[in-house]
Amino acid sequence: MAVGALWMVGLRLLERAIGFVSTLILARLLVPADFGLVAMAMTVYAFVEVAGNFGFDLALLRDKDASREAYDSAWTLYVIYGVFAFLLLLALAWPAAQFHGDQRLVPVMAVLGLIALVQGFDNIGTVHFRKEFRFDAEFKLMLYRKLVAFGVTVSLALAFRNYWALIGGMVAQRATGTVLSYTMHPYRPRFNLTHARALFGFSRWLVLARLMECLKNRGPDFMIGRHLDLAALGLHRLSLELATLATSELMLPILRAVFPGYAAVAHDRQALASSFLRVQGSIVLVTLPVGLCFVLMPDLVVRALLGMNWLGATPLVMIFGISGCLSMFQLTSLAIFEVLGQPQRSTWLRLTENVLLLPSVAIALWSDAGLVGAAWCWVGVQVLLVPLSAWLIHGLLPLTLLQRLGVLWRPALGAVVMAVVIHAVRLWLPTVESSVAAFAQLLGLAALAVGSFVATVFGAWWAAGRPSGPESSLVEWIVSKSRPTAAPPVEPHSST
């Protein structure tokens, strides 16, 4: 499980390195309105896509003895939905363009429909990569399609300097992923629906939960695009994606990788509880310092990565960074709900999130609080969701409050020290204007921030008597890797 998490985190780090370079280029070749137009189209596409994200892969992972018919049924249902999604997006293209008053949405949504159609034919056999803990294969699959998308996106941006670069990159990524799913795995699916009812029995709550998640992510886009303009929507969307990198690009791949390990011990609640504590502590240890960098240095992040056209994103990056840090403490519960066959708990959590978030964002926008006021709504909702998710998981795992706090207090202390250090140092540093100077200062301060966080966490761990936890696991892993590999014994030659 730990090896799988390392593979997935390594992939995400590499992907984000590619993504950062892409962002640096696109932010200087495109304008916020280009990102806003694509975000508007993606609002419709995301709902259609998520409605067909049935979670059959999780059902197949949970079933150790899943038959070929089960795999084929899952693939067939995805193909059917891909065709349906293609036709639906074509049908919605013109009404969406009329509603938003922008006819450019018609061809954009038609292309997104083709993406949905192609994605429906992905080879279901790649589920075996995770089921057999072959994370290196999944690493290659996801990395190759990201590299192709990067090349296509940048080439189109240099050639056309408009929103088609973003759309073209998505087409390249999805099409490459579908082709590679067949070239990298020998499984060849067939049309079959014999297990459709059983698969839907597991997935219906997952689909509802993911629809709720999509509504949270894209519902505000709809309101912002309607009440403000495309430039404002572009600022909001890119700020949210940039500031929540720690959760979307580090935490979620860890949870994806540990799911098979959770499934292997799901029958033993005590073992599952121990795994959950270790995973949650590891996630916070890895992602919290990254998320705090966006909170403590949003001006440098925006100047260094996005450029002068995006200075309006500075307060948004800080606010969404706070929301992302808080979400780490409740999103780790979702994998437990799913592995224990309790996806309805995820659904109720996401439903509560929408009931709180969407009306508050609407009130903020219509009361002229603007993007900043709407962004603070994310923070308020996360503050309420953290104790709610803890309560929902309490009845499933034999854990006390002290046990959960036991793996969190050291990272929390490290966060406080990190914030104090960065604030104190920035008081003595000059204000930078250029992107190059901002990038240099950002790198230096980020290194100082992470160093102070790590020193505090491991100092507190040592002072506490080096208890078992994510810190001890990391130390053991480093020690094991630093030991020289023993040479095999040499067989003595017998004399004749």
Side-chain angles (χ1 to χ4, degrees):
M1 188 161 65
V3 174
L6 288 174
W7 270 111
M8 298 310 296
V9 171
L11 170 65
R12 284 300 183 179
L13 288 175
L14 191 53
E15 278 192 321
R16 287 324 303 172
I18 299 170
F20 271 132
V21 176
S22 178
T23 299
L24 288 171
I25 297 171
L26 294 177
R28 286 158 175 76
L29 295 176
L30 309 181
V31 296
D34 288 323
F35 287 88
L37 178 67
V38 174
M40 195 177 292
M42 288 299 294
T43 300
V44 180
Y45 172 79
F47 281 105
V48 175
E49 181 187 38
V50 170
N53 191 359
F54 301 118
F56 295 151
D57 57 332
L58 298 181
L60 296 172
L61 284 171
R62 289 180 72 244
D63 185 358
K64 298 178 181 179
D65 302 315
S67 64
R68 177 184 176 89
E69 288 75 17
Y71 280 85
D72 289 344
S73 295
W75 178 79
T76 303
L77 290 169
Y78 280 132
V79 170
I80 293 172
Y81 189 82
V83 175
F84 169 76
F86 169 65
L87 297 175
L88 181 60
L89 286 167
L90 286 182
L92 292 174
W94 188 82
Q98 291 296 111
F99 181 81
H100 291 289
D102 196 325
Q103 292 303 311
R104 293 177 297 175
L105 284 172
V106 175
V108 169
M109 289 187 59
V111 174
L112 292 178
L114 287 173
I115 292 175
L117 178 63
V118 171
Q119 184 175 302
F121 286 86
D122 281 358
N123 187 1
I124 194 68
T126 56
V127 171
H128 282 289
F129 291 156
R130 278 184 287 161
K131 198 166 190 176
E132 298 168 359
F133 298 96
R134 295 168 54 198
F135 293 103
D136 57 330
E138 187 165 15
F139 180 100
K140 293 174 184 177
L141 172 63
M142 299 176 73
L143 177 61
Y144 292 160
R145 69 180 190 177
K146 184 68 175 181
L147 288 172
V148 171
F150 170 76
V152 171
T153 301
V154 173
S155 298
L156 291 176
L158 290 170
F160 300 107
R161 295 177 182 264
N162 63 24
Y163 55 89
W164 281 112
L166 301 170
I167 300 297
M170 284 187 275
V171 172
Q173 181 165 331
R174 297 299 173 85
T176 301
T178 300
V179 172
L180 287 176
S181 70
Y182 287 93
T183 59
M184 295 182 65
H185 198 281
Y187 188 85
R188 294 297 178 262
R190 307 165 187 165
F191 287 99
N192 190 312
L193 289 172
T194 56
H195 284 63
R197 183 183 296 273
L199 289 168
F200 274 121
F202 173 81
S203 70
R204 63 180 184 273
W205 285 106
L206 288 179
V207 173
L208 286 173
R210 287 168 176 170
L211 281 172
M212 292 297 102
E213 179 71 13
C214 183
L215 187 61
K216 179 203 75 172
N217 288 330
R218 294 295 177 174
D221 289 5
F222 175 83
M223 290 185 278
I224 292 169
R226 183 69 175 171
H227 186 72
L228 299 177
D229 54 28
L230 288 179
L233 178 56
L235 280 175
H236 163 81
R237 192 73 238 167
L238 197 57
S239 300
L240 178 60
E241 292 177 0
L242 184 64
T244 55
L245 283 177
T247 50
S248 63
E249 307 301 338
L250 291 178
M251 185 182 72
L252 296 182
I254 295 176
L255 293 177
R256 177 182 172 90
V258 301
F259 188 89
Y262 279 164
V265 298
H267 61 282
D268 185 343
R269 293 297 176 93
Q270 192 61 54
L272 183 61
S274 299
S275 296
F276 170 74
L277 283 180
R278 192 173 292 270
V279 168
Q280 185 175 59
S282 300
I283 284 175
V284 174
L285 193 65
V286 172
T287 59
L288 187 57
V290 179
L292 284 175
C293 284
F294 293 96
V295 177
L296 300 173
M297 300 173 283
D299 54 325
L300 296 179
V301 169
V302 171
R303 288 179 185 273
L305 301 180
L306 303 181
M308 304 303 291
N309 289 335
W310 297 85
L311 293 181
T314 300
L316 301 179
V317 169
M318 182 197 70
I319 299 168
F320 286 132
I322 297 172
S323 175
C325 290
L326 290 171
S327 71
M328 298 174 195
F329 298 96
Q330 56 99 0
L331 290 177
T332 50
S333 303
L334 301 184
I336 296 295
F337 298 152
E338 292 168 1
V339 80
L340 291 178
Q342 296 283 326
Q344 63 270 25
R345 296 190 180 224
S346 297
T347 304
W348 287 115
L349 190 63
R350 296 281 77 85
L351 177 61
T352 303
E353 189 172 19
N354 280 291
V355 169
L356 295 171
L357 179 64
L358 296 180
S360 60
V361 170
I363 293 171
L365 291 173
W366 267 264
S367 62
D368 295 326
L371 292 177
V372 172
W376 278 114
C377 297
W378 264 263
V379 177
V381 170
Q382 290 301 324
V383 169
L384 297 175
L385 287 181
V386 170
L388 177 59
S389 64
W391 176 75
L392 284 173
I393 209 167
H394 177 70
L396 298 177
L397 297 178
L399 291 173
T400 65
L401 179 61
L402 288 179
Q403 285 177 306
R404 298 198 65 177
L405 293 178
V407 298
L408 298 177
W409 73 267
R410 292 184 293 274
L413 178 62
V416 173
V417 173
M418 173 179 166
V420 172
V421 168
I422 294 303
H423 179 71
V425 171
R426 294 204 70 183
L427 291 176
W428 294 91
L429 291 177
T431 302
V432 295
E433 297 295 336
S434 70
S435 294
V436 175
F439 190 75
Q441 195 173 111
L442 177 63
L443 284 180
L445 287 173
L448 177 63
V450 173
S452 62
F453 178 87
V454 171
T456 302
V457 168
F458 280 89
W461 171 71
W462 190 276
R466 294 177 290 177
S468 177
E471 298 94 342
S472 60
S473 297
L474 182 59
V475 170
E476 290 169 4
W477 181 79
I478 294 173
V479 170
S480 67
K481 292 298 180 182
S482 63
R483 289 173 180 161
T485 304
V490 179
E491 292 288 340
H493 292 285
S494 59
S495 57
T496 56

